[in-house]
Amino acid sequence: MNAYDAENRLAVITNTVINEVVRFVYDGDCHHILRIGPEGTTVTIGDYYEKQRSAVAKCLLRQQPAGGHAREQHPVLAADRPS
């Protein structure tokens, strides 16, 4: 099953047989920049840069800033940060 966003771009592919979901994220110029699936996340910037993170390396960090409100970081950006 496929789902499309408001601009008619492919946003989600769901394989109902094996219950896997792949999501696609686009930038403001409608360029595909992220592919998030069970095997990991792939970041694509233009025609010159592509980086893949395995599902094992991907993590979602929750930080508690000084104001006391938790905020979530994007898994690709969080995984590239030093700990």
Side-chain angles (χ1 to χ4, degrees):
M1 177 184 350
N2 297 339
Y4 296 86
D5 65 10
E7 308 236 349
N8 203 30
R9 299 174 297 204
L10 182 61
V12 179
I13 298 175
T14 305
N15 184 331
T16 57
V17 175
I18 57 175
N19 200 28
E20 286 187 351
V21 176
V22 177
R23 299 181 190 286
F24 299 93
V25 178
Y26 301 86
D27 66 10
D29 292 326
C30 299
H31 298 116
H32 165 243
I33 58 170
L34 289 177
R35 179 189 183 279
I36 305 165
E39 69 284 344
T41 299
T42 302
V43 178
T44 305
I45 301 173
D47 295 331
Y48 305 104
Y49 181 82
E50 183 172 296
K51 183 172 185 177
Q52 184 171 10
R53 286 283 203 188
S54 72
V56 175
K58 194 169 68 165
C59 65
L60 183 63
L61 298 179
R62 292 189 60 79
Q63 292 185 341
Q64 192 73 23
H69 298 286
R71 85 181 161 172
E72 294 181 4
Q73 293 183 343
H74 189 279
V76 173
L77 302 177
D80 286 336
R81 283 184 192 227
S83 41

